[in-house]
PDB file of all heavy atoms in Angstrom:
ATOM      1  N   ALA A 115     136.767   1.999-138.152  1.00 63.00           N
ATOM      2  CA  ALA A 115     137.592   0.823-138.379  1.00 63.00           C
ATOM      3  C   ALA A 115     137.633  -0.072-137.142  1.00 63.00           C
ATOM      4  O   ALA A 115     137.561  -1.299-137.236  1.00 63.00           O
ATOM      5  CB  ALA A 115     139.009   1.252-138.757  1.00 63.00           C
ATOM      6  N   ALA A 116     137.697   0.547-135.963  1.00 60.00           N
ATOM      7  CA  ALA A 116     137.787  -0.224-134.724  1.00 60.00           C
ATOM      8  C   ALA A 116     136.498  -0.970-134.420  1.00 60.00           C
ATOM      9  O   ALA A 116     136.522  -2.045-133.820  1.00 60.00           O
ATOM     10  CB  ALA A 116     138.136   0.699-133.561  1.00 60.00           C
ATOM     11  N   LEU A 117     135.357  -0.421-134.827  1.00 62.00           N
ATOM     12  CA  LEU A 117     134.075  -1.025-134.501  1.00 62.00           C
ATOM     13  C   LEU A 117     133.507  -1.864-135.630  1.00 62.00           C
ATOM     14  O   LEU A 117     132.375  -2.326-135.557  1.00 62.00           O
ATOM     15  CB  LEU A 117     133.061   0.062-134.118  1.00 62.00           C
ATOM     16  CG  LEU A 117     133.423   0.886-132.883  1.00 62.00           C
ATOM     17  CD1 LEU A 117     132.282   1.808-132.518  1.00 62.00           C
ATOM     18  CD2 LEU A 117     133.759  -0.016-131.718  1.00 62.00           C
ATOM     19  N   GLY A 118     134.271  -2.069-136.672  1.00 55.00           N
ATOM     20  CA  GLY A 118     133.802  -2.921-137.755  1.00 55.00           C
ATOM     21  C   GLY A 118     133.826  -4.387-137.344  1.00 55.00           C
ATOM     22  O   GLY A 118     134.352  -4.773-136.313  1.00 55.00           O
ATOM     23  N   GLY A 119     133.213  -5.227-138.170  1.00 55.00           N
ATOM     24  CA  GLY A 119     133.224  -6.659-137.910  1.00 55.00           C
ATOM     25  C   GLY A 119     132.410  -7.087-136.716  1.00 55.00           C
ATOM     26  O   GLY A 119     132.741  -8.074-136.061  1.00 55.00           O
ATOM     27  N   SER A 120     131.342  -6.348-136.392  1.00 75.00           N
ATOM     28  CA  SER A 120     130.529  -6.681-135.225  1.00 75.00           C
ATOM     29  C   SER A 120     129.167  -7.222-135.645  1.00 75.00           C
ATOM     30  O   SER A 120     128.171  -6.967-134.987  1.00 75.00           O
ATOM     31  CB  SER A 120     130.354  -5.446-134.344  1.00 75.00           C
ATOM     32  OG  SER A 120     129.782  -4.376-135.088  1.00 75.00           O
ATOM     33  N   GLU A 121     129.122  -7.972-136.749  1.00 84.00           N
ATOM     34  CA  GLU A 121     127.841  -8.464-137.255  1.00 84.00           C
ATOM     35  C   GLU A 121     127.120  -9.376-136.268  1.00 84.00           C
ATOM     36  O   GLU A 121     125.905  -9.266-136.115  1.00 84.00           O
ATOM     37  CB  GLU A 121     128.047  -9.187-138.594  1.00 84.00           C
ATOM     38  CG  GLU A 121     126.758  -9.412-139.362  1.00 84.00           C
ATOM     39  CD  GLU A 121     126.039  -8.118-139.711  1.00 84.00           C
ATOM     40  OE1 GLU A 121     126.709  -7.086-139.860  1.00 84.00           O
ATOM     41  OE2 GLU A 121     124.798  -8.151-139.812  1.00 84.00           O
ATOM     42  N   PRO A 122     127.815 -10.298-135.560  1.00 89.00           N
ATOM     43  CA  PRO A 122     127.092 -11.114-134.566  1.00 89.00           C
ATOM     44  C   PRO A 122     126.405 -10.265-133.507  1.00 89.00           C
ATOM     45  O   PRO A 122     125.265 -10.551-133.131  1.00 89.00           O
ATOM     46  CB  PRO A 122     128.197 -11.994-133.976  1.00 89.00           C
ATOM     47  CG  PRO A 122     129.217 -12.084-135.065  1.00 89.00           C
ATOM     48  CD  PRO A 122     129.209 -10.735-135.719  1.00 89.00           C
ATOM     49  N   LEU A 123     127.086  -9.219-133.019  1.00 92.00           N
ATOM     50  CA  LEU A 123     126.470  -8.341-132.033  1.00 92.00           C
ATOM     51  C   LEU A 123     125.295  -7.594-132.646  1.00 92.00           C
ATOM     52  O   LEU A 123     124.236  -7.455-132.022  1.00 92.00           O
ATOM     53  CB  LEU A 123     127.494  -7.346-131.485  1.00 92.00           C
ATOM     54  CG  LEU A 123     126.955  -6.267-130.543  1.00 92.00           C
ATOM     55  CD1 LEU A 123     126.260  -6.889-129.343  1.00 92.00           C
ATOM     56  CD2 LEU A 123     128.066  -5.331-130.089  1.00 92.00           C
ATOM     57  N   SER A 124     125.452  -7.106-133.870  1.00 92.00           N
ATOM     58  CA  SER A 124     124.359  -6.388-134.536  1.00 92.00           C
ATOM     59  C   SER A 124     123.133  -7.290-134.667  1.00 92.00           C
ATOM     60  O   SER A 124     121.995  -6.872-134.384  1.00 92.00           O
ATOM     61  CB  SER A 124     124.806  -5.903-135.918  1.00 92.00           C
ATOM     62  OG  SER A 124     125.826  -4.925-135.814  1.00 92.00           O
ATOM     63  N   ASN A 125     123.350  -8.525-135.098  1.00 94.00           N
ATOM     64  CA  ASN A 125     122.238  -9.462-135.234  1.00 94.00           C
ATOM     65  C   ASN A 125     121.564  -9.711-133.896  1.00 94.00           C
ATOM     66  O   ASN A 125     120.329  -9.781-133.799  1.00 94.00           O
ATOM     67  CB  ASN A 125     122.724 -10.786-135.827  1.00 94.00           C
ATOM     68  CG  ASN A 125     123.157 -10.644-137.280  1.00 94.00           C
ATOM     69  OD1 ASN A 125     122.724  -9.732-137.980  1.00 94.00           O
ATOM     70  ND2 ASN A 125     124.014 -11.548-137.730  1.00 94.00           N
ATOM     71  N   TRP A 126     122.375  -9.867-132.864  1.00 94.00           N
ATOM     72  CA  TRP A 126     121.842 -10.146-131.535  1.00 94.00           C
ATOM     73  C   TRP A 126     121.028  -8.968-131.010  1.00 94.00           C
ATOM     74  O   TRP A 126     119.947  -9.153-130.433  1.00 94.00           O
ATOM     75  CB  TRP A 126     122.991 -10.477-130.591  1.00 94.00           C
ATOM     76  CG  TRP A 126     122.551 -10.932-129.223  1.00 94.00           C
ATOM     77  CD1 TRP A 126     122.204 -12.194-128.845  1.00 94.00           C
ATOM     78  CD2 TRP A 126     122.426 -10.112-128.058  1.00 94.00           C
ATOM     79  NE1 TRP A 126     121.868 -12.217-127.511  1.00 94.00           N
ATOM     80  CE2 TRP A 126     121.990 -10.952-127.002  1.00 94.00           C
ATOM     81  CE3 TRP A 126     122.629  -8.759-127.807  1.00 94.00           C
ATOM     82  CZ2 TRP A 126     121.771 -10.480-125.710  1.00 94.00           C
ATOM     83  CZ3 TRP A 126     122.405  -8.282-126.516  1.00 94.00           C
ATOM     84  CH2 TRP A 126     121.978  -9.131-125.481  1.00 94.00           C
ATOM     85  N   LEU A 127     121.532  -7.758-131.196  1.00 95.00           N
ATOM     86  CA  LEU A 127     120.806  -6.576-130.746  1.00 95.00           C
ATOM     87  C   LEU A 127     119.473  -6.445-131.481  1.00 95.00           C
ATOM     88  O   LEU A 127     118.440  -6.126-130.860  1.00 95.00           O
ATOM     89  CB  LEU A 127     121.652  -5.322-130.975  1.00 95.00           C
ATOM     90  CG  LEU A 127     122.853  -5.126-130.041  1.00 95.00           C
ATOM     91  CD1 LEU A 127     123.722  -3.974-130.516  1.00 95.00           C
ATOM     92  CD2 LEU A 127     122.388  -4.879-128.608  1.00 95.00           C
ATOM     93  N   ARG A 128     119.467  -6.687-132.782  1.00 95.00           N
ATOM     94  CA  ARG A 128     118.210  -6.611-133.536  1.00 95.00           C
ATOM     95  C   ARG A 128     117.220  -7.661-133.034  1.00 95.00           C
ATOM     96  O   ARG A 128     116.020  -7.391-132.909  1.00 95.00           O
ATOM     97  CB  ARG A 128     118.485  -6.803-135.032  1.00 95.00           C
ATOM     98  CG  ARG A 128     119.140  -5.603-135.703  1.00 95.00           C
ATOM     99  CD  ARG A 128     119.106  -5.724-137.214  1.00 95.00           C
ATOM    100  NE  ARG A 128     119.954  -6.823-137.680  1.00 95.00           N
ATOM    101  CZ  ARG A 128     121.223  -6.674-138.049  1.00 95.00           C
ATOM    102  NH1 ARG A 128     121.802  -5.485-137.982  1.00 95.00           N
ATOM    103  NH2 ARG A 128     121.922  -7.712-138.481  1.00 95.00           N
ATOM    104  N   GLU A 129     117.729  -8.843-132.738  1.00 95.00           N
ATOM    105  CA  GLU A 129     116.855  -9.909-132.245  1.00 95.00           C
ATOM    106  C   GLU A 129     116.240  -9.535-130.897  1.00 95.00           C
ATOM    107  O   GLU A 129     115.040  -9.759-130.665  1.00 95.00           O
ATOM    108  CB  GLU A 129     117.653 -11.204-132.116  1.00 95.00           C
ATOM    109  CG  GLU A 129     116.816 -12.383-131.625  1.00 95.00           C
ATOM    110  CD  GLU A 129     117.611 -13.669-131.599  1.00 95.00           C
ATOM    111  OE1 GLU A 129     118.145 -14.054-132.655  1.00 95.00           O
ATOM    112  OE2 GLU A 129     117.687 -14.287-130.510  1.00 95.00           O
ATOM    113  N   GLN A 130     117.049  -8.960-130.020  1.00 95.00           N
ATOM    114  CA  GLN A 130     116.519  -8.554-128.711  1.00 95.00           C
ATOM    115  C   GLN A 130     115.482  -7.445-128.853  1.00 95.00           C
ATOM    116  O   GLN A 130     114.466  -7.436-128.157  1.00 95.00           O
ATOM    117  CB  GLN A 130     117.663  -8.102-127.798  1.00 95.00           C
ATOM    118  CG  GLN A 130     118.662  -9.191-127.447  1.00 95.00           C
ATOM    119  CD  GLN A 130     118.012 -10.426-126.876  1.00 95.00           C
ATOM    120  OE1 GLN A 130     117.164 -10.348-125.973  1.00 95.00           O
ATOM    121  NE2 GLN A 130     118.371 -11.589-127.420  1.00 95.00           N
ATOM    122  N   LYS A 131     115.729  -6.538-129.769  1.00 95.00           N
ATOM    123  CA  LYS A 131     114.753  -5.473-130.016  1.00 95.00           C
ATOM    124  C   LYS A 131     113.452  -6.074-130.538  1.00 95.00           C
ATOM    125  O   LYS A 131     112.345  -5.694-130.096  1.00 95.00           O
ATOM    126  CB  LYS A 131     115.334  -4.487-131.036  1.00 95.00           C
ATOM    127  CG  LYS A 131     114.368  -3.405-131.510  1.00 95.00           C
ATOM    128  CD  LYS A 131     114.010  -2.449-130.386  1.00 95.00           C
ATOM    129  CE  LYS A 131     113.307  -1.198-130.900  1.00 95.00           C
ATOM    130  NZ  LYS A 131     112.093  -1.499-131.668  1.00 95.00           N
ATOM    131  N   ASP A 132     113.536  -7.015-131.464  1.00 94.00           N
ATOM    132  CA  ASP A 132     112.344  -7.647-132.023  1.00 94.00           C
ATOM    133  C   ASP A 132     111.570  -8.430-130.963  1.00 94.00           C
ATOM    134  O   ASP A 132     110.347  -8.579-131.066  1.00 94.00           O
ATOM    135  CB  ASP A 132     112.725  -8.578-133.175  1.00 94.00           C
ATOM    136  CG  ASP A 132     113.219  -7.830-134.402  1.00 94.00           C
ATOM    137  OD1 ASP A 132     112.951  -6.609-134.496  1.00 94.00           O
ATOM    138  OD2 ASP A 132     113.883  -8.455-135.259  1.00 94.00           O
ATOM    139  N   ARG A 133     112.281  -8.907-129.944  1.00 93.00           N
ATOM    140  CA  ARG A 133     111.626  -9.670-128.883  1.00 93.00           C
ATOM    141  C   ARG A 133     111.047  -8.779-127.802  1.00 93.00           C
ATOM    142  O   ARG A 133     110.496  -9.262-126.809  1.00 93.00           O
ATOM    143  CB  ARG A 133     112.620 -10.658-128.278  1.00 93.00           C
ATOM    144  CG  ARG A 133     113.036 -11.758-129.255  1.00 93.00           C
ATOM    145  CD  ARG A 133     114.152 -12.625-128.727  1.00 93.00           C
ATOM    146  NE  ARG A 133     113.767 -13.412-127.558  1.00 93.00           N
ATOM    147  CZ  ARG A 133     114.560 -14.302-126.972  1.00 93.00           C
ATOM    148  NH1 ARG A 133     115.780 -14.537-127.474  1.00 93.00           N
ATOM    149  NH2 ARG A 133     114.162 -14.978-125.915  1.00 93.00           N
ATOM    150  N   GLY A 134     111.165  -7.457-127.968  1.00 93.00           N
ATOM    151  CA  GLY A 134     110.509  -6.527-127.055  1.00 93.00           C
ATOM    152  C   GLY A 134     111.370  -5.874-126.014  1.00 93.00           C
ATOM    153  O   GLY A 134     110.856  -5.149-125.151  1.00 93.00           O
ATOM    154  N   ALA A 135     112.681  -6.076-126.066  1.00 94.00           N
ATOM    155  CA  ALA A 135     113.558  -5.460-125.075  1.00 94.00           C
ATOM    156  C   ALA A 135     113.753  -3.980-125.377  1.00 94.00           C
ATOM    157  O   ALA A 135     113.782  -3.559-126.532  1.00 94.00           O
ATOM    158  CB  ALA A 135     114.916  -6.163-125.051  1.00 94.00           C
ATOM    159  N   VAL A 136     113.878  -3.190-124.324  1.00 95.00           N
ATOM    160  CA  VAL A 136     114.314  -1.803-124.459  1.00 95.00           C
ATOM    161  C   VAL A 136     115.827  -1.829-124.669  1.00 95.00           C
ATOM    162  O   VAL A 136     116.548  -2.545-123.968  1.00 95.00           O
ATOM    163  CB  VAL A 136     113.958  -0.985-123.202  1.00 95.00           C
ATOM    164  CG1 VAL A 136     114.603   0.401-123.248  1.00 95.00           C
ATOM    165  CG2 VAL A 136     112.447  -0.874-123.057  1.00 95.00           C
TER     166      VAL A 136
END
Side-chain angles (χ1 to χ4, degrees):
L117 298 186
S120 57
E121 195 60 28
L123 174 58
S124 294
N125 292 336
W126 186 85
L127 287 171
R128 286 193 293 267
E129 181 176 303
Q130 296 307 312
K131 174 67 167 57
D132 291 342
R133 293 172 66 176
V136 171

